Amino acid sequence: LLSKVVNSLHMSFTSTSIFSGSTYKIMDPIIDNSLTYVDSSLAKEIDIKLMSSPGFSIDQLMELAGFSVACAANDFLQNVHNTKLLANNIAPNIDWTQILIFCGPGNNGGDGLVAARHLSHFGYSPIVVYPKRGKTSLFINLVQQCLDLDIPILDSLPNSELTSAGLTIDALFGFSFEGPSREPFTSFINRFAQSSTPVLSVDIPSGWNVDQGDIFHTQFYPAAVISLTTPKLCMRNFTGWHYVGGRFLPPKLASELHINVPQYKKGTSDQFIRLDTSTCGEEGTVV
């Protein structure tokens, strides 16, 4: 088991994207066993239909998504501990309770702020990096909720903090990102790519094209990604730890849009499904 997980994590840091330099765009969903991989247009349509009146509010969806991110982050760290991938003799300076959360200016960043709050309640010590804060009441409230828990919210971060944390959460850009990225976010993405600290990306790796992958040549391949609602096209051949979260899509809407999502186990409160790391990107097996 140890060698299997080590190989999976190693591939996520060293593999090269098969999408680099691609010019094609597939508009139809790709169904891989029980999973549907959707393009950016369909991802937006899902959100529009979820928030149609009457329906979900944006803060409801953000809360559910951010909670699933926090649960996946906890699962990732627990598995790192249990398999002793980064034992103290290998990484003696790692603070396993410290989680860095980089938040972008949009809804993906809001998911990160929600995740920070829940991770604090889980017993972790999150630090939020949020250089361009949202100005609406939704984001102002999310920031205040973090401050009420004494969660530091910074505009930038020194290199020492990036190397001592047990995990980095990339909540910069989601499926609405068109790219290429701009500063200060380009520097953040470069730091993700160069850091030995594992990164969990929210929905897609920041800097990637939603449909075509790393066409902007960021060379950023996170250790893990949590796809929200259903995976996007760029995740089709991802080799790292792949979670699917956001347990809020009504079955009728999924059927209407011809979307197959993994089935959560009945009688559980699980907020994510972790795909089998040995077949992720090949068969889409759900465990």
Side-chain angles (χ1 to χ4, degrees), residues 88-108:
N88 286 335
N89 62 334
I90 300 175
N93 299 319
I94 296 299
D95 181 353
W96 293 104
T97 67
Q98 187 179 93
I99 300 177
L100 302 181
I101 305 176
F102 288 76
C103 296
N107 294 342
N108 202 258

Side-chain angles (χ1 to χ4, degrees), residues 101-153:
I101 305 176
F102 288 76
C103 296
N107 294 342
N108 202 258
D111 296 341
L113 292 170
V114 171
R117 170 163 39 86
H118 286 292
L119 286 166
S120 177
H121 287 301
F122 291 173
Y124 292 98
S125 300
I127 297 176
V128 173
V129 181
Y130 194 22
K132 294 189 177 182
R133 303 186 184 187
K135 298 181 180 180
T136 65
S137 60
L138 170 61
F139 293 99
I140 292 172
N141 290 337
L142 290 174
V143 167
Q144 187 60 50
Q145 290 161 15
C146 288
L147 293 175
D148 288 342
L149 291 172
D150 296 323
I151 298 173
I153 300 182

Side-chain angles (χ1 to χ4, degrees), residues 108 170 173-175 201-205 225-232 234-235 242:
N108 202 258
D170 156 32
F173 303 118
F175 66 78
S201 290
V202 177
D203 209 20
I204 67 169
V225 173
I226 176 168
S227 296
L228 298 177
T229 310
T230 192
K232 312 309 179 285
C234 64
M235 295 299 298
H242 191 181

Side-chain angles (χ1 to χ4, degrees), residues 155-195:
D155 293 328
S156 60
L157 197 71
N159 289 328
S160 59
E161 297 286 354
L162 191 63
T163 57
S164 62
L167 178 68
T168 294
I169 294 179
D170 156 32
L172 294 180
F173 303 118
F175 66 78
S176 60
F177 174 79
E178 295 182 356
S181 63
R182 300 178 180 177
E183 292 295 347
F185 304 110
T186 299
S187 293
F188 290 161
I189 294 169
N190 289 339
R191 292 172 76 174
F192 297 162
Q194 297 168 10
S195 173

Side-chain angles (χ1 to χ4, degrees), residues 20 47 84 91 112 132 156 169 222 272 285:
S20 299
D47 261 19
K84 303 183 185 302
K132 294 189 177 182
S156 60
I169 294 179
F272 63 84
T285 304

